[in-house]
């Protein structure tokens, strides 16, 4: 028997927040390529439609799941509706995140609170919905949260995002120990500098672009497709004895100073 069967997600379902673009779309394609039916959450209907078409064009199965992460109170109903349409959520990937750059003393309270709602409260509430459903149905599960280099360090002008990603690092552990008894594994994926809409303004700055390439041992920006393997691994039986860990897909960034 090939050990590749452990990575097979045929018959499984997955919900990826922010799955219509960037790293989330890379993850959605990876899970779909491994056989999962994916629900792609996003705010932009055009991007959602395009993302579902890309997955269909590669032979995968995807449904669009538009809902507002910032409206934290509406999330349990939104989650229940997606789960109903999918026939249950086997894997939840809390990927969606927002950035708000500015020196800490110049960040407006409503901007800070918005980052908190999207990057931390929404993953917390959606993870609760996921765990409640799996526990009620007596099903094991794999929950994935997207961390960041900012889960381990920071850089100037990123305090709200750094605060939320530091919390995500600890939430991976906290959820892992709360839900291990139910067979729900909880792990994180920590991106390095990846070429996405969020980082395009940085990549467009020649000095920042050069710094990232010099600071990253593998010498390049990451790409969304670089996440397909790590996501499939953590979503599948291949990682059956792994929980509470973060895999950094960072080109070696954290391996050096
Ligand atoms: C920034 C970037 C970073 C990356 C990513 C790195 O402003 O430095 O937005 O925060 O997006 O989080 O892991």
């Amino acid at each position: 028997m090939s050990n590749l069967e452990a990575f097979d997600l045929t018959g499984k379902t997955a919900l990826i927040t922010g799955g219509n673009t960037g790293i989330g779309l890379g993850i959605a394609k990876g899970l779909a390529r491994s056989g999962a039916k994916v629900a792609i959450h996003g705010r932009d209907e055009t991007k959602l439609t395009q993302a579902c078409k890309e997955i269909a064009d590669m032979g995968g199965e995807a449904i669009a799941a538009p809902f507002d992460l910032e409206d934290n109170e509406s999330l349990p109903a939104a989650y229940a509706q997606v789960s109903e349409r999918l026939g249950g959520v086997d894997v939840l990937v809390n990927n969606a995140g927002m950035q708000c750059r500015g020196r800490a003393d110049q960040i407006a309270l409503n901007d800070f609170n918005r980052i908190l709602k999207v990057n931390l409260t929404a993953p917390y509430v959606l993870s609760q919905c996921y765990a409640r459903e799996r526990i009620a149905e007596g099903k094991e599960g794999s929950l994935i949260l997207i961390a960041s280099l900012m889960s381990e360090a920071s850089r100037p002008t990123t305090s709200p995002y750094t605060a939320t990603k530091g919390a995500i690092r600890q939430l991976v552990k906290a959820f892992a120990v709360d839900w291990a008894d139910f067979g729900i594994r909880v792990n994180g994926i920590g991106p390095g500098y990846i070429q996405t809409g969020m980082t395009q303004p940085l990549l467009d700055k020649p000095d920042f672009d050069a710094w990232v390439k010099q600071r990253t041992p593998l010498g390049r920006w990451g790409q969304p497709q670089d996440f397909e393997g790590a996501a499939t691994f953590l979503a599948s039986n291949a990682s059956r004895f792994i929980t509470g860990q973060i895999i950094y897909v960072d080109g070696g960034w954290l391996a050096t100073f």
Side-chain angles (χ1 to χ4, degrees):
M1 178 184 95
S2 158
N3 69 358
L4 287 180
E5 289 176 18
F7 293 83
D8 185 9
L9 295 173
T10 303
K12 299 292 185 184
T13 63
L15 167 59
I16 303 98
T17 65
N20 60 344
T21 184
I23 292 168
L25 180 53
I27 288 173
K29 287 180 176 177
L31 300 182
R33 237 189 277 279
S34 301
K37 177 179 181 183
V38 297
I40 291 180
H41 155 269
R43 287 179 298 172
D44 183 317
E45 299 272 354
T46 305
K47 286 182 183 175
L48 269 178
T49 305
Q50 176 58 29
C52 290
K53 181 180 182 307
E54 286 179 28
I55 289 176
D57 289 348
M58 57 183 244
E61 203 179 349
I63 61 172
F67 56 88
D68 181 3
L69 288 177
E70 205 174 330
D71 183 358
N72 297 152
E73 287 71 21
S74 72
L75 294 179
Y79 180 89
Q81 189 192 51
V82 175
S83 184
E84 175 74 27
R85 290 173 61 207
L86 268 183
V89 179
D90 293 313
V91 178
L92 172 62
V93 183
N94 287 291
N95 160 79
M98 282 177 69
Q99 182 57 282
C100 168
R101 299 183 181 96
R103 208 177 61 209
D105 56 300
Q106 296 170 350
I107 296 288
L109 178 57
N110 63 341
D111 288 334
F112 179 81
N113 283 332
R114 189 166 187 226
I115 298 293
L116 215 53
K117 284 179 179 178
V118 173
N119 293 10
L120 182 57
T121 310
Y124 194 94
V125 171
L126 290 174
S127 299
Q128 288 181 305
C129 297
Y130 174 76
R132 285 170 185 151
E133 186 173 81
R134 303 306 283 183
I135 292 166
E137 294 174 359
K139 292 179 178 175
E140 297 185 342
S142 176
L143 173 62
I144 299 171
L145 297 100
I146 302 302
S148 164
L149 294 176
M150 308 296 160
S151 299
E152 304 291 343
S154 189
R155 79 175 184 88
T157 75
T158 62
S159 60
Y161 187 89
T162 297
T164 61
K165 291 304 186 180
I168 290 294
R169 176 176 184 264
Q170 291 302 98
L171 211 43
V172 165
K173 301 181 183 75
F175 283 161
V177 297
D178 261 5
W179 294 329
D181 284 352
F182 303 98
I184 298 170
R185 297 182 299 106
V186 184
N187 292 288
I189 296 176
Y193 276 95
I194 313 303
Q195 185 176 353
T196 67
M198 182 194 285
T199 57
Q200 195 58 49
L202 303 173
L203 195 146
D204 289 341
K205 295 174 182 173
D207 290 351
F208 199 99
D209 176 32
W211 173 64
V212 166
K213 287 169 179 167
Q214 178 273 325
R215 179 63 181 73
T216 305
L218 289 182
R220 66 173 174 88
W221 289 73
Q223 296 297 326
Q225 55 267 34
D226 293 330
F227 290 81
E228 293 198 17
T232 298
F233 172 62
L234 289 176
S236 69
N237 206 34
S239 58
R240 54 190 173 272
F241 196 56
I242 298 175
T243 195
Q245 299 295 322
I246 296 177
I247 297 179
Y248 281 92
V249 183
D250 69 352
W253 183 286
L254 289 175
T256 184
F257 54 81

